[in-house]
C-alpha cells in the first residue's frame, strides 16, 4: 500500500513515525519539543497557544521526513479545548491539562444536572477538572467576555487535522476524542448540545464525528488525513489491543482500561466510558496512587531511586512478612476515599525491616490497581492479558508480583511511541479503505508490540493469598468503601 505517518502531539512535544502501511514497520522518526514556557510554579502551563503545536510539528517533520508519505494520522493530548470565534480564530489560548482551576466548576456541573448518576447516564462519565465540559464552565464563570465570543469548539487533534487540511469548512473529530469531552455520549453516539449550553451558557458549532476508517479530507497536495484521535485511544490502537486485553498504566497515579463491546454506565463515577479508535469502547478506571507510593517509600527509607527500592523489596518474600500498605497517600478515587490517608498494618518485631516495607509498597500499589481491574471485571469486562506500561513496569519487584496479583498474563511492551504508531495505523486504515484494499470495518493487521510475557504460573495461589490479605485490611479499615 505504501508509506503512512503517525503524528503524536503530546503535552510536551510532537513525535512523528513513518511506517510501512502493510506491516507497521517504523521506517523513520522525527521529534521536536513544543516551544512553550513552563508555568510560573513549575510544571506544565494550563493555557497554551495552539500555534506552538504547529511549530513543533513543522520542526519534527523537517529534513524530508514525510517524503513519499501518502496518509497521515493525528494523535494528540486529550482534554485540551481550543475555543474559536465565528471566523475560526482562537478566542484565547487553549485550555489544557488537568487544570486544577476547574475543580469548583466540576462540582457546579455535577449539581446543575442533578448529580453523578445523571451525568453517567447522559455521557458515560462524571465531570472532572480536566474535562473540556468543565473547562467551559470555568471559562463562562471567569472570562465571560471570552466565553460569549466562542462560536466553535475543537480539541487538540481536531484543530491539528483542520490546520493540515487548510482550515476547510468541514470540521471533524472521532469517537475516541469526542468521548472524553463530557458532551458526547459513547452509548448513543451523539452530542449533548444541552450540556455545552449548561457549561458555556450558549450553543456552539461542534465538529462532525466521523467513523474510525473514514478520512477527514485530503490536503491540496493530495495527502490523505485520517480522522485522528486522542492519545489514549491511539496508544491502545498502536499496541494492538483486542477483546480480553487490559492496560495498566503506571504513572504517579494509575489507570486501568480495557476493550469492551459496549458502553458501561457507572453512577459512582469510578468508570469513565470512553470510545476507542476502532468502533469499540474503552472503559477506564483511575487510581490516585501508583508510582508516587513507591517514591514516597523510597524517600522514607533513604533510597535515591526506584531501582534500589526494587532491589530491596526482592530480599523480602510475598506477603511482606504480614505488612500491608493501603497506598492512599493522596486520598483515593478508586475506592472513593478523597480525604483519607495511607495505612500500614501488620507491624511486628520480625516484620519491621526495610526490605519488608519496600515489598509492601510494591504489593500495595499493585493491589490498588488490581482493585481497579476488579471494577471492570465486576461489570462483565473480560481480562485475559494485562499490558503493563510506564517506566516502573521494568522493575523486577513489579514483574515478580504483578501476574499473580492481577491473576492474568502480564505483557510488558518495549518502550515505543505507541500513540504515534496508532495514529499511523489509523492512517493506513483510512488509506486502504479509500483505495478499496481494506475493509472499512477491519483495521490493518500490523505486527504486534515487541514485549516480555510474564505468566502467573505456580505463583498464582501465593499472589491471590497476598491479595486477600490486602482486601481484608482494606475492608477492616474502610468498611463498605469498595463495592464492585
Amino acid at each position: 500500500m505504501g508509506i503512512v505517518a503517525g503524528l503524536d502531539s503530546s503535552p510536551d512535544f510532537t513525535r512523528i513515525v513513518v511506517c510501512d502501511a502493510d506491516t507497521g514497520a517504523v521506517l523513520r522518526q522525527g521529534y521536536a519539543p513544543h516551544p512553550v514556557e513552563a508555568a510560573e510554579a513549575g510544571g506544565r502551563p494550563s493555557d497554551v497557544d495552539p500555534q506552538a503545536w504547529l511549530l513543533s510539528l513543522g520542526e519534527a517533520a523537517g529534513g524530508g521526513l514525510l517524503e513519499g508519505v501518502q496518509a497521515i494520522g493525528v494523535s494528540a493530548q486529550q482534554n485540551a479545548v481550543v475555543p474559536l470565534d465565528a471566523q475560526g480564530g482562537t478566542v484565547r489560548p487553549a485550555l489544557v491539562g488537568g487544570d486544577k482551576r476547574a475543580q469548583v466548576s466540576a462540582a457546579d456541573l455535577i449539581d446543575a444536572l442533578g448529580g453523578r448518576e445523571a451525568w453517567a447516564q447522559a455521557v458515560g462519565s462524571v465531570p472532572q477538572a480536566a474535562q473540556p465540559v468543565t473547562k467551559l464552565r470555568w471559562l463562562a464563570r471567569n472570562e465571560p467576555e471570552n466565553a460569549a465570543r466562542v462560536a466553535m469548539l475543537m480539541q487538540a487533534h481536531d484543530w491539528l487535522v483542520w490546520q493540515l487540511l487548510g482550515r476547510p469548512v468541514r470540521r471533524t473529530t472521532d469517537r475516541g476524542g469526542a468521548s472524553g469531552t463530557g458532551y458526547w455520549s459513547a452509548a448513543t453516539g451523539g452530542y449533548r448540545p444541552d450540556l455545552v449550553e449548561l457549561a458555556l451558557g450558549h450553543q456552539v458549532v461542534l465538529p462532525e464525528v466521523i467513523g474510525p476508517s473514514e478520512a477527514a479530507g485530503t490536503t491540496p497536495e493530495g495527502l490523505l488525513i485520517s480522522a485522528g484521535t486522542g492519545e489514549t485511544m491511539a496508544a491502545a490502537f498502536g499496541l494492538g489491543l483486542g477483546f480480553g486485553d487490559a492496560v495498566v498504566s503506571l504513572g504517579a497515579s494509575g489507570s486501568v482500561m480495557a476493550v469492551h463491546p459496549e458502553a458501561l454506565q457507572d453512577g459512582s463515577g469510578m468508570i469513565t466510558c470512553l470510545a476507542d479508535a476502532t468502533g469499540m469502547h474503552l472503559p477506564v478506571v483511575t487510581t490516585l496512587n501508583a508510582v508516587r507510593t513507591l517514591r514516597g517509600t523510597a524517600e522514607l527509607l533513604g533510597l535515591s531511586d526506584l531501582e534500589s527500592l526494587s532491589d530491596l523489596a526482592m530480599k523480602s518474600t510475598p506477603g511482606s512478612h504480614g505488612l500491608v500498605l493501603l497506598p492512599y497517600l493522596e486520598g483515593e478515587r478508586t475506592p472513593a476515599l478523597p480525604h483519607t490517608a495511607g495505612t500500614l498494618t501488620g507491624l511486628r518485631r520480625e516484620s519491621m525491616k526495610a526490605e519488608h516495607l519496600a515489598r509492601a509498597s510494591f504489593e500495595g500499589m499493585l493491589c490498588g490497581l488490581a482493585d481497579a481491574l476488579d471494577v471492570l471485571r465486576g461489570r462483565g469486562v473480560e481480562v485475559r492479558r494485562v499490558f503493563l506500561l510506564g517506566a516502573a513496569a521494568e522493575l523486577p519487584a513489579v514483574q515478580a508480583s504483578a501476574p499473580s496479583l492481577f491473576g492474568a498474563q502480564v505483557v510488558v511492551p518495549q518502550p515505543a511511541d505507541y500513540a504515534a504508531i496508532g495514529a499511523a495505523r489509523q492512517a493506513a486504515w483510512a488509506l486502504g479503505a479509500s483505495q478499496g484494499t481494506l475493509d472499512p470495518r477491519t483495521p490493518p493487521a500490523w505486527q504486534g508490540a515487541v514485549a516480555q510475557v510474564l505468566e502467573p504460573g505456580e505463583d498464582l495461589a501465593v499472589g491471590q493469598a497476598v491479595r486477600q490479605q490486602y482486601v481484608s485490611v482494606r475492608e477492616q479499615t474502610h468498611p463498605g468503601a469498595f463495592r464492585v
Side-chain angles (χ1 to χ4, degrees), residues 319-382:
S320 309
H321 272 245
L323 282 189
V324 176
L325 176 65
L326 299 184
Y328 306 152
L329 307 186
E330 296 281 327
E332 190 45 86
R333 185 176 169 190
T334 306
L337 297 166
H339 306 300
T340 194
T343 305
L344 181 65
T345 66
L347 287 167
R348 294 184 176 85
R349 179 65 191 87
E350 62 271 19
S351 67
M352 294 179 72
K353 293 184 178 178
E355 61 262 34
H356 302 324
L357 177 56
R359 179 103 188 189
S361 71
F362 282 95
E363 291 178 344
M365 174 188 76
L366 292 169
C367 283
L369 290 160
D371 278 352
L373 267 173
D374 280 353
V375 171
L376 296 179
R377 284 173 165 142
R379 293 295 304 276
V381 177
E382 190 174 350

Side-chain angles (χ1 to χ4, degrees), residues 128 247-257 269-272 283-294 326-338 364-376 388 406 467 470 474 482:
Q128 305 288 333
V247 172
V248 172
S249 185
L250 299 176
S253 54
S255 70
V256 176
M257 66 179 179
M270 279 199 291
I271 299 175
T272 297
V284 181
V285 179
T286 58
T287 69
L288 295 181
N289 301 279
V291 176
R292 61 167 44 100
T293 305
L294 306 181
L326 299 184
Y328 306 152
L329 307 186
E330 296 281 327
E332 190 45 86
R333 185 176 169 190
T334 306
L337 297 166
M365 174 188 76
L366 292 169
C367 283
L369 290 160
D371 278 352
L373 267 173
D374 280 353
V375 171
L376 296 179
L388 203 54
F406 292 160
R467 180 84 206 289
Y470 176 93
R474 189 196 65 220
F482 186 86

Side-chain angles (χ1 to χ4, degrees), residues 109 113 119 122-123 133 182-183 192-200:
L109 281 176
L113 195 64
W119 277 96
V123 289
V133 72
Y183 46 81
R192 287 290 302 265
D194 57 313
L195 299 182
V196 176
E197 187 167 358
L198 181 70
L200 189 63

